[in-house]
Amino acid sequence: SRDAAASGCGISVKVKGGSLDVHPTEKALVVQYEVEATILGELGGTMVGERKECHKIIRLKSLNANTDISSLARKVVEECRLIHPSKLPEVEQLLFYLQNRKKTNEKQKISPRDLTPYAGVELDEEANINNIDEYVELLYEDIQEKIRGATLILHLARNSDNLEELMQNETALGALARVLREDWKQSVDLATTIIYIFFCFSSFSQFHGLVTHYKIGALCMNIIEHELKRYDLWQEELQKKKKNQTLKKEHEKAFKKYQSLLIKQEQLLRVALFLLLNLAEDTRTELKMRNKNIVHLLVKILDRDDEELLLLVVSFLKKLSIYLENKNDMAETFAVEKLARLVCCNNEELQSTTLRLLLNLSFDTGLRSQMVQAGLIPKLSSLLGNKSDMCILYHISMDDAFKSMFAYTDCIPQLMKMVFDCGEDKMDAELISFCINLAANKRNAQVICEGNGLKMLMKRALHLKDVLMMKMIRNLSQHDGHTKNLFIDYVGDLAAQINNEETEEFVIECLGTLANLTIPDLDWELVLKEYNLVPYLKDRLKPGSAEDDLILEVVIMIGTVSMDDSCAALLAKSGIIPALIELLNAQQEDDEFVCQIVYVFYQMVFHQATRDVIIKDTQAPAYLIDLMHDNNAEIRKVCDNTLDIIAEYDEEWGKKIQSEKFRFHNAQWLEMVENRQMDEAGEPFLYGEDGESFVGGGDILDRRDLFYSADGIIPDGAISPEFYVDFQNGDMGQTPGYIGR
């Protein structure tokens, strides 16, 4: 410790050495120490005391792989009075750690601090924080002196240790903000340098308020917009001179000048955009930028060729893309079309960032369409090793309109190779999900099943009991033609999985696959008997016996096998039809269940044996009549078709069905006829003068004299509802049948 005292009173300053540590990013030691200052009174008493914790950074520029650690440690201890000699072993240990520490990021993020000095701002002199007032004075001179003063302050600002002190100097910061606001159009170098200084502050969240206070963000937005307009003017001028052959030399001269101007402009854009990107950490500030069309400005810059500038712009857009309004702006400006050219660039970091931005955008249906139109499917197919790329393709494959496009790229063969390379390891969710989507398209399914494709997929799915792989196989099985016929060889393997020992999820997919196999030559009766499936199917029809998804697949499976005459008879004898009716009662609110159960009845009424059981031994026709006017169009359609067949084969049910259809189609007329209310005048409407009803107490449908013909009421009662419907449909002269809809 050191003491200093005057004759009367004095100040006692004590410095206590503290702990040692390594700098997290640099090759440097950090010494933590404490300073205690005490003011002593005339009689030696303590009047005021203050204690402050400080730290000192010892940068070790000479430290490398060949440095002698022991010698360097002794030198550090000798030159730094804050480190006690007894800590020499600790210093050696820390130096050894620094010498062998690996860089966490081989490729550090591009930052304006990494930029090489641009023309006009190189300095031979060393900047000193103690001379800050002199540098501020230079800001009141001509442009070149202003650039020199701003550059010296920039050298100070690039050292983060100086930022706290610079922040306290309101004169310097105010002068810098004023010069930028007044003179940025006069010199790109001056504007770049001053924005660079404020960027150094923006790198730390605690200084964002300072940058905002001087309205540097808004000024940067104006500067960027102005520079982009200048760029458009340069382009127009160059195009004019290029088209005019007489100005060829002028064009070459102007192009060289343009290139030098472009370098400086892109330097300015980079620094300004980096500053805005830092400030955009605050969502309120980001909203202000959005209101000033930041997205439109960024998308315009995507036409540039400078990869570092492009990386910054794409990173900024990626950050903005998580908000709906910004995403919509990107859609309006056709950002996807401009991003498409960056997908196959040589800069890995730019490519990766572009893919992550496209992934954010791919959640929007309209933007996925833009991606397809921009030709991204072939480009992305060549980059399947990238996870972001896989996810983008997965999102595109969700749209049925785009699924078939994958068949004309090398995407599917690559996917199949990746699937088989997994062996018995768990497959990435993105990979198998993408495959499931592609398998839903007929042309893709054909490519997937080529060679031993289906065989290998079945082998993996059955061996590993892979539910997602079986879901992919199920999608493959839905396509008619050659692909579906390939599954005949695997019917037995799939049927063997239908038991209580397997997981419900796996059984659901196996049942779904079998249910898709509507192949005429397939002997379903043999399959049901050999694998004893009928008891399993019947047990699963009981409400609550399993998850609804499994019960529904069982119903669909029964509908498929009921296409076979002998199978339908086998199922009818087992008592499955009453079980289906019971399930229909339990699930009458679920349209999918109702539709599938009615479809089973539809299949069964085709066969004599099951048709008789349904018509004579069950109340299935009555349920179908109730469902004939269901709100669901698909249910109505299947019901109508089923009832048409029943009406054709059973006269009694045919009359009931005919009558119900007539009632439904003429409901308004029947209501009018049956209404016995008096009109407002109190005069009888449906009653004679003696008060006797014209209709009487019988059924309105028995009064044939009340039915209309084309010319009016038929008085002799000879026309039936059937005749009327046939007349209206133009079916006169044909064999009378049931009433159609």
Side-chain angles (χ1 to χ4, degrees):
S1 64
R2 294 175 293 167
D3 294 326
S7 56
C9 61
I11 299 175
S12 173
V13 180
K14 294 183 179 180
V15 181
K16 297 180 180 179
S19 60
L20 283 167
D21 203 351
V22 295
H23 195 280
T25 58
E26 300 180 26
K27 286 187 177 181
L29 293 175
V30 180
V31 185
Q32 302 284 348
Y33 62 96
E34 190 178 272
V35 177
E36 183 179 342
T38 307
I39 299 177
L40 304 175
E42 293 183 3
L43 301 177
T46 302
M47 296 176 63
V48 181
E50 184 179 355
R51 180 178 298 175
K52 185 177 181 181
E53 292 184 354
C54 305
H55 69 274
K56 179 178 178 62
I57 298 176
I58 305 172
R59 291 182 172 81
L60 306 163
K61 296 181 180 180
S62 62
L63 181 63
N64 55 50
N66 300 319
T67 303
D68 184 352
I69 296 298
S70 300
S71 301
L72 181 59
R74 285 195 297 271
K75 184 178 180 182
V76 168
V77 172
E78 288 172 4
E79 294 186 3
C80 183
R81 296 174 58 190
L82 295 171
I83 304 175
H84 196 272
S86 63
K87 293 196 173 184
L88 180 61
E90 185 179 351
V91 174
E92 288 186 12
Q93 186 178 5
L94 293 174
L95 291 176
F96 179 78
Y97 170 76
L98 284 172
Q99 187 180 44
N100 294 279
R101 182 172 66 179
K102 294 181 179 179
K103 291 182 179 179
T104 54
N105 293 317
E106 291 299 328
K107 284 193 174 182
Q108 297 179 352
K109 289 185 178 179
I110 297 174
S111 160
R113 296 186 178 205
D114 303 327
L115 299 174
T116 53
Y118 39 88
V121 298
E122 298 92 342
L123 286 177
D124 296 331
E125 57 185 305
E126 181 105 11
N128 191 318
I129 192 69
N130 297 320
N131 300 331
I132 184 67
D133 292 337
E134 297 177 14
Y135 307 153
V136 173
E137 290 295 325
L138 295 174
L139 298 177
Y140 294 89
E141 304 297 331
D142 59 20
I143 290 296
Q144 288 304 317
E145 288 298 295
K146 286 178 180 177
I147 293 174
R148 178 167 167 265
T151 305
L152 287 164
I153 296 173
L154 171 61
H155 284 204
L156 296 175
R158 291 178 67 175
N159 183 348
S160 57
D161 294 339
N162 295 327
L163 292 178
E164 287 279 0
E165 190 168 342
L166 286 172
M167 185 186 72
Q168 304 299 328
N169 196 326
E170 294 183 7
T171 304
L173 296 176
L176 288 167
R178 178 189 57 77
V179 171
L180 178 62
R181 189 164 46 252
E182 295 175 357
D183 298 333
W184 64 267
K185 288 185 180 180
Q186 298 184 37
S187 170
V188 174
D189 288 340
L190 179 61
T192 304
T193 305
I194 296 177
I195 294 174
Y196 214 142
I197 294 168
F198 284 102
F199 163 78
C200 295
F201 284 99
S202 73
S203 299
F204 302 92
S205 299
Q206 61 265 38
F207 297 132
H208 284 187
L210 179 145
V211 181
T212 305
H213 172 73
Y214 289 104
K215 299 182 179 179
I216 303 302
L219 194 52
C220 283
M221 290 287 295
N222 294 335
I223 292 172
I224 292 169
E225 189 172 2
H226 175 79
E227 290 300 324
L228 292 180
K229 289 178 180 177
R230 285 182 64 196
Y231 177 79
D232 291 338
L233 291 174
W234 294 344
Q235 292 286 339
E236 289 178 14
E237 187 179 345
L238 282 173
Q239 289 299 323
K240 288 178 183 177
K241 291 182 177 179
K242 187 177 182 180
K243 290 179 181 178
N244 193 334
Q245 295 295 328
T246 59
L247 301 175
K248 188 175 180 181
K249 289 186 177 180
E250 287 189 28
H251 173 263
E252 292 176 357
K253 184 178 179 182
F255 184 71
K256 289 180 180 179
K257 182 181 179 181
Y258 160 78
Q259 286 182 314
S260 63
L261 290 172
L262 188 62
I263 291 172
K264 287 191 174 185
Q265 187 189 68
E266 290 182 342
Q267 182 86 359
L268 172 59
L269 291 175
R270 284 189 62 202
V271 180
L273 287 172
F274 257 113
L275 183 144
L276 292 175
L277 179 58
N278 287 343
L279 295 181
E281 288 180 6
D282 185 340
T283 53
R284 291 170 299 180
T285 304
E286 185 178 310
L287 180 59
K288 292 178 182 177
M289 295 180 192
R290 193 259 166 184
N291 292 336
K292 287 180 173 289
N293 288 328
I294 183 67
V295 173
H296 292 73
L297 298 178
L298 291 170
V299 172
K300 285 187 71 174
I301 300 175
L302 287 175
D303 292 326
R304 306 293 182 101
D305 296 320
D306 184 86
E307 290 186 347
E308 293 181 349
L309 177 60
L310 288 172
L311 175 58
L312 169 60
V313 171
V314 174
S315 300
F316 207 152
L317 287 171
K318 181 172 73 71
K319 182 184 185 306
L320 295 170
S321 66
I322 63 176
Y323 292 103
L324 177 66
E325 296 81 4
N326 297 330
K327 182 265 297 179
N328 292 339
D329 286 347
M330 292 178 206
E332 291 174 7
T333 53
F334 298 97
V336 169
E337 186 178 338
K338 297 184 177 184
L339 291 168
R341 72 182 184 94
L342 304 179
V343 169
C344 296
C345 68
N346 295 324
N347 187 314
E348 290 183 12
E349 192 172 2
L350 176 58
Q351 183 188 68
S352 176
T353 309
T354 302
L355 290 174
R356 291 201 296 274
L357 169 57
L358 288 171
L359 175 58
N360 286 355
L361 300 179
S362 67
F363 286 89
D364 182 270
T365 306
L367 285 166
R368 289 201 296 270
S369 179
Q370 288 188 24
M371 291 178 192
V372 174
Q373 292 172 10
L376 272 179
I377 290 181
K379 292 180 180 180
L380 294 171
S381 296
S382 63
L383 304 171
L384 271 178
N386 187 294
K387 191 171 183 178
S388 297
D389 169 71
M390 181 80 74
C391 292
I392 298 167
L393 289 173
Y394 164 73
H395 285 161
I396 293 175
S397 71
M398 291 166 60
D399 300 314
D400 291 337
F402 306 141
K403 283 186 173 75
S404 60
M405 297 183 181
F406 290 91
Y408 305 100
T409 68
D410 61 346
C411 179
I412 295 176
Q414 288 187 71
L415 285 175
M416 294 298 287
K417 184 178 183 304
M418 293 169 71
V419 168
F420 299 144
D421 287 346
C422 289
E424 296 190 3
D425 297 333
K426 185 176 180 180
M427 205 176 302
D428 289 340
E430 295 83 8
L431 173 59
I432 187 59
S433 301
F434 186 23
C435 291
I436 290 170
N437 282 357
L438 292 182
N441 175 266
K442 186 173 183 177
R443 177 62 188 134
N444 291 340
Q446 292 172 352
V447 178
I448 291 171
C449 293
E450 284 178 355
N452 292 325
L454 180 58
K455 180 180 178 181
M456 298 296 290
L457 292 174
M458 289 292 299
K459 183 177 179 181
R460 175 186 169 89
L462 296 174
H463 176 64
L464 300 177
K465 308 298 180 186
D466 191 330
V467 176
L468 293 177
M469 180 65 73
M470 188 54 69
K471 192 181 290 288
M472 175 186 175
I473 293 170
R474 178 180 176 179
N475 280 355
L476 293 172
S477 68
Q478 69 184 342
H479 305 294
D480 294 328
H482 177 68
T483 304
K484 186 170 288 190
N485 291 329
L486 293 175
F487 281 85
I488 293 178
D489 296 335
Y490 306 103
V491 170
D493 294 326
L494 292 168
Q497 311 303 315
I498 314 301
N499 56 63
N500 294 320
E501 296 177 3
E502 300 295 344
T503 61
E504 282 195 0
E505 292 83 0
F506 190 67
V507 172
I508 286 171
E509 301 306 328
C510 292
L511 275 171
T513 305
L514 288 171
N516 284 335
L517 303 183
T518 52
I519 304 172
D521 298 334
L522 189 55
D523 189 347
W524 279 114
E525 184 184 15
L526 180 62
V527 175
L528 293 180
K529 288 181 177 179
E530 184 173 346
Y531 294 96
N532 196 29
L533 293 182
V534 175
Y536 178 89
L537 297 176
K538 185 179 178 182
D539 289 343
R540 286 293 176 270
L541 288 178
K542 296 176 183 177
S545 63
E547 293 292 330
D548 284 355
D549 288 344
L550 178 57
I551 298 175
L552 182 60
E553 291 303 329
V554 168
V555 175
I556 297 171
M557 176 70 177
I558 292 172
T560 298
V561 300
S562 295
M563 295 172 63
D564 183 271
D565 190 19
S566 55
C567 265
L570 179 65
L571 293 173
K573 289 177 183 177
S574 69
I576 272 183
I577 295 175
L580 285 169
I581 293 175
E582 182 185 353
L583 182 62
L584 180 61
N585 282 328
Q587 299 286 353
Q588 57 186 322
E589 300 300 324
D590 190 317
D591 284 358
E592 183 66 21
F593 263 103
V594 173
C595 191
Q596 293 298 341
I597 292 171
V598 173
Y599 179 75
V600 173
F601 293 151
Y602 172 73
Q603 290 292 349
M604 286 189 168
V605 295
F606 273 105
H607 313 296
Q608 179 66 43
T610 49
R611 183 168 58 244
D612 291 342
V613 173
I614 288 175
I615 294 173
K616 297 176 181 178
D617 299 340
T618 72
Q619 289 298 310
Y623 282 101
L624 293 172
I625 288 174
D626 288 341
L627 293 168
M628 192 165 52
H629 311 306
D630 192 89
N631 293 329
N632 188 296
E634 287 299 319
I635 294 176
R636 292 199 304 270
K637 181 179 178 182
V638 180
C639 272
D640 279 348
N641 293 337
T642 309
L643 289 171
D644 288 349
I645 298 171
I646 292 174
E648 184 177 350
Y649 286 96
D650 189 279
E651 184 177 350
E652 183 179 349
W653 276 112
K655 289 181 179 179
K656 291 180 181 179
I657 294 166
Q658 186 182 60
S659 176
E660 179 59 32
K661 287 188 176 183
F662 182 82
R663 283 181 182 277
F664 179 75
H665 287 291
N666 299 280
Q668 286 185 325
W669 178 78
L670 291 172
E671 184 180 358
M672 179 191 72
V673 174
E674 290 176 345
N675 186 0
R676 300 188 179 190
Q677 300 295 326
M678 303 295 288
D679 63 5
E680 292 181 359
E683 297 178 0
F685 178 56
L686 292 180
Y687 300 89
E689 293 181 359
D690 57 357
E692 183 181 351
S693 170
F694 285 130
V695 179
D699 191 329
I700 187 68
L701 294 180
D702 294 333
R703 290 293 307 274
R704 301 300 179 95
D705 57 316
L706 296 178
F707 292 115
Y708 287 95
S709 71
D711 299 322
I713 297 179
I714 306 298
D716 60 2
I719 305 300
S720 68
E722 301 95 307
F723 183 91
Y724 170 71
V725 173
D726 289 343
F727 183 86
Q728 292 291 84
N729 294 337
D731 295 335
M732 297 300 295
Q734 299 180 12
T735 303
Y738 59 88
I739 299 174
R741 294 187 60 176

